[in-house]
Amino acid sequence: MALGFVVLLTVLVVCIGLLGTTAICLDRTALKRTAADYDRRLAEISPYLGVAGVFFLAKRATHGHSLRISRALDWDLTAEIYALEGEFVAVLQDVVPHTVTLEFFSAMYMFGFPFLLVTGPILYFLLPSQRHLKELLLAYVFNYLIGSLCYTLFIVYGPRNHLSSVDGLMYSFYPQTQEVTAAVSANTNVFPSLHTSLAVVVMLFAWRSREEYPRWFQIASFVTICVVFSTMYLGIHWLIDVIAGILLAVGSVIAAERIVTRAEGAAGSVPPSEDSIASDASD
């Protein structure tokens, strides 16, 4: 019951955030252009949607095998990470007042993260060029591919599971959220932080599309910073996990851009705008 409620609440909050963001970032002409050009855009991105869909289905189907391989290898890096980082997360929790921030950062971790993942692709589908969307989908795949490989090879327990001085704040105050996270991830899936890497990926694409969507860049930057901070503040990830996640995000964006460039050329597939058509006609 708790799992279903939290999932339903997450869907509701993400949908509200998506509608609010599109209302802020878009005008009616963009929606009209998309409706008129829907078939072409969908056909253009279908190979990338297919690759992403097949990958995530395969990832889900092999999740149990990955856990068994990880336990068999038993390469536990938790002690090494703690030796490098020390009590950073514990100190962070001590200096941040829980009564003021716990609800906010718990909401950012649970709702802000899926909001970023869903809103970015939809906004880019509403652009005349699908270049950003193609690269974003590939960047998602690279993140999960590298992340899944690391989770299979290495066992790492988060600060809340390794240190008595760190409290799993969100799970302590909102235990029903643990059912959701347990349904999609094991408690050893810590290094790197995919919450960090995927959120940063969305922020990087928001920066690259800041001319088309200046307000989206502002929204995505704020939510991303809050999501990244929440992973440590809530005792889920180490600082080293976050740093690794940022590096993974940058690498995946670069790799996705190069692959799409090789596949389709540097210019991509950009349909002519109404202004350029009018200009050509006047000439």
Side-chain angles (χ1 to χ4, degrees):
M1 181 64 70
L3 175 60
F5 172 76
V6 174
V7 171
L8 181 61
L9 180 62
T10 300
V11 172
L12 179 62
V13 172
V14 169
C15 287
I16 292 173
L18 172 63
L19 291 174
T21 302
T22 53
I24 293 171
C25 297
L26 297 173
D27 54 30
R28 293 182 179 180
T29 58
L31 298 176
K32 290 180 179 179
R33 285 196 301 266
T34 301
D37 197 29
Y38 178 85
D39 292 341
R40 181 198 64 80
R41 298 186 189 186
L42 190 59
E44 186 177 339
I45 65 170
S46 58
Y48 297 87
L49 287 173
V51 169
V54 169
F55 172 80
F56 289 120
L57 287 174
K59 177 181 178 296
R60 187 62 184 171
T62 59
H63 179 66
H65 298 291
S66 175
L67 288 177
R68 286 190 289 271
I69 293 172
S70 182
R71 294 187 187 115
L73 292 173
D74 196 25
W75 291 345
D76 191 335
L77 300 182
T78 310
E80 285 76 6
I81 288 178
Y82 174 63
L84 288 172
E85 179 173 322
E87 300 280 337
F88 176 83
V89 174
V91 173
L92 184 66
Q93 286 192 343
D94 286 340
V95 299
V96 178
H98 304 335
T99 55
V100 178
T101 59
L102 175 58
E103 291 83 359
F104 174 76
F105 286 113
S106 294
M108 282 295 169
Y109 185 86
M110 290 299 299
F111 307 134
F113 176 66
F115 160 75
L116 290 172
L117 296 190
V118 171
T119 304
I122 291 177
L123 286 176
Y124 296 138
F125 183 73
L126 296 172
L127 289 175
S129 170
Q130 298 302 292
R131 182 62 177 262
H132 288 313
L133 179 52
K134 295 172 184 177
E135 294 178 357
L136 180 60
L137 290 173
L138 286 183
Y140 282 177
V141 170
F142 283 130
N143 270 264
Y144 277 109
L145 177 63
I146 302 301
S148 297
L149 179 62
C150 289
Y151 294 162
T152 300
L153 292 177
F154 309 120
I155 292 175
V156 178
Y157 292 95
R160 67 186 178 88
N161 292 317
H162 187 70
L163 299 176
S164 60
S165 56
V166 173
D167 187 3
L169 293 173
M170 182 175 67
Y171 299 138
S172 298
F173 286 87
Y174 308 106
Q176 62 271 28
T177 60
Q178 194 161 8
E179 293 189 37
V180 178
T181 56
V184 297
S185 178
N187 64 352
T188 57
N189 291 356
V190 172
F191 175 84
S193 167
L194 286 185
H195 262 67
T196 295
S197 65
L198 289 164
V200 172
V201 161
V202 175
M203 186 182 73
L204 291 174
F205 274 95
W207 179 79
R208 294 176 64 189
S209 62
R210 64 193 181 280
E211 292 186 4
E212 296 95 336
Y213 293 131
R215 292 176 180 173
W216 168 235
F217 174 56
Q218 297 169 4
I219 294 170
S221 297
F222 174 76
V223 176
T224 295
I225 292 171
C226 293
V227 168
V228 172
F229 182 83
S230 73
T231 64
M232 295 178 289
Y233 167 68
L234 298 173
I236 299 170
H237 285 286
W238 305 91
L239 174 61
I240 291 175
D241 304 331
V242 168
I243 294 173
I246 293 172
L247 294 175
L248 174 57
V250 173
S252 66
V253 170
I254 294 173
E257 179 184 12
R258 290 181 178 178
I259 288 177
V260 174
T261 297
R262 290 182 180 180
E264 305 189 13
S269 177
V270 182
S273 65
E274 294 178 1
D275 293 339
S276 65
I277 293 174
S279 176
D280 292 341
S282 64
D283 291 342

